[in-house]
Amino acid sequence: MDSSTLFGISTMSYIIAMVIYIGYLAFRKEKVGVTASVVTYFGFIMQTLAIILRWIESYQMGIGHAPLSNLYESMVFFSWTLILFYIFLEYRYRNRSFGAFVTTVAALALAFITVTPGISKEISPLVPALQSNWLIAHVVLSFLGYAAFAVSYCSALMYLILTSEKKTEGSYIFWTICVGLTIILLIAFGIDFINFKILSPVPLQESIVKQHLLESTFRNPSLAIKILSLILAHAVAITIWAKGMRLKDILLRIAPSTEVLDEVTYKMITIGFPLLSLGIITGAIWADSAWGSYWQWDPKETWSLITWLVYAIYLHSRFRKGWRGKKIAVVSVIGFIAVIFTYLGVNLILSGLHSYA
């Protein structure tokens, strides 16, 4: 059995766990929750073995580097750290309702790199810019920070859902837009996958994925398809806005208190912020040795700084301004949106010195 097989098993495990956790929210059966946890633990063990095996395979191929060198490997590591944080949370708070959100993020991350055409899954030699002892420190610190922020995003989103009272209030509109955009983008990526990987006679190469991203829907050359895509996206957003209170009713039965959610959000950010800071510092040191400058305002560097500033605002507002509740939860969600753009948006939309990442 090779690492690819184990990665496939772990991806399927997280998808199955996500479905079971959602069933746990709906039916509130303890056995269902325990089953979801067991499947999650199994997926985590398989993924851990897969990462170790991929590392060994790289040495057997004469390449010999940690599996952190491209988008595929970094996304695998991100999902692994995310599940690691979740397992700790489940043990610490004795509550499985987080699982429906966290395993969804992990499963979607792995599904994204699995189905998106053009993302290389091969073990390949490091490009010259990555041949540095700073690689492991920079990537591990950054992605541990990202994983902590992902958990804080889930708890902040749950907080906003549980504290929404009216469909017209700002926080309700905000979280329904966030959920709606996520679903719309996933549907658009799925259509891209069907169009370019199943129907296309020639698979896309990684270098031209950026050119075709969302080309089946919102960036289609046909004006009619663009308009139809926007109409359907609007319909999805309106539906989520109209039915959002049902999700609140479900979570009210089983989710931890809003005080616990606020505490989890805060603690995860206090863990993630220093990790991200160290990740940026080690990256700057590495950049100086590789490119002769600590900072070049590359898009990845700029968006990393924006992300850092958003979480700095969160901590400053909480400590100095006494912000609590919905307002600070919104800042946490915005922070993770910045993380996603720093991580994926910059890679897939913009170009720069980090285009290999």
Side-chain angles (χ1 to χ4, degrees), residues 183-310:
I183 293 173
I184 290 165
L185 286 175
L186 288 173
I187 294 172
F189 289 148
I191 295 173
D192 271 349
F193 170 72
I194 293 171
N195 191 22
F196 296 128
K197 192 157 186 176
I198 296 179
L199 301 180
S200 175
V202 181
L204 293 181
Q205 299 299 314
E206 185 172 9
S207 59
I208 58 174
V209 168
K210 296 175 185 177
Q211 301 172 18
H212 297 275
L213 194 66
L214 302 180
E215 196 177 79
S216 304
T217 51
F218 302 105
R219 296 176 60 200
N220 194 282
S222 167
L223 180 61
I225 292 179
K226 282 181 182 174
I227 293 174
L228 179 62
S229 300
L230 290 172
I231 292 172
L232 291 175
H234 184 72
V236 170
I238 291 296
T239 301
I240 292 170
W241 176 81
K243 304 296 182 183
M245 283 298 180
R246 291 190 180 181
L247 180 57
K248 175 185 176 181
D249 294 338
I250 293 171
L251 283 179
L252 276 174
R253 303 169 190 165
I254 202 166
S257 67
T258 52
E259 289 77 13
V260 169
L261 291 172
D262 184 64
E263 177 187 334
V264 170
T265 303
Y266 166 65
K267 287 186 174 178
M268 286 296 107
I269 290 177
T270 56
I271 292 172
F273 186 73
L275 289 169
L276 176 64
S277 302
L278 290 171
I280 292 174
I281 291 170
T282 53
I285 297 170
W286 181 8
D288 182 56
S289 63
W291 301 317
S293 173
Y294 289 103
W295 198 269
Q296 301 194 43
W297 296 106
D298 173 74
K300 180 75 81 176
E301 294 172 345
T302 304
W303 275 95
S304 295
L305 180 61
I306 292 171
T307 301
W308 186 89
L309 287 173
V310 172

Side-chain angles (χ1 to χ4, degrees), residues 12-84:
M12 286 306 302
S13 298
Y14 292 151
I15 292 173
I16 293 170
M18 173 188 72
V19 173
I20 300 175
Y21 273 123
I22 292 172
Y24 172 62
L25 289 182
F27 301 110
R28 291 180 295 161
K29 300 289 186 183
E30 186 61 23
K31 288 184 179 178
V32 177
V34 172
T35 304
S37 295
V38 170
V39 174
T40 303
Y41 301 157
F42 174 76
F44 182 74
I45 292 170
M46 291 297 104
Q47 192 177 16
T48 304
L49 293 174
I51 292 172
I52 295 172
L53 191 55
R54 187 176 176 94
W55 202 335
I56 294 172
E57 288 169 355
S58 76
Y59 276 93
Q60 291 173 339
M61 295 169 64
I63 298 172
H65 61 74
L68 301 167
S69 63
N70 55 32
L71 181 59
Y72 175 79
E73 292 177 343
S74 63
M75 191 73 93
V76 166
F77 183 69
F78 166 73
S79 61
W80 183 83
T81 52
L82 179 59
I83 294 298
L84 179 65

Side-chain angles (χ1 to χ4, degrees), residues 164-190:
S164 296
E165 298 296 337
K166 298 177 181 177
K167 293 180 180 178
T168 53
E169 67 182 76
S171 61
Y172 180 86
I173 294 172
F174 176 75
W175 76 255
T176 54
I177 288 175
C178 291
V179 173
L181 282 175
T182 303
I183 293 173
I184 290 165
L185 286 175
L186 288 173
I187 294 172
F189 289 148

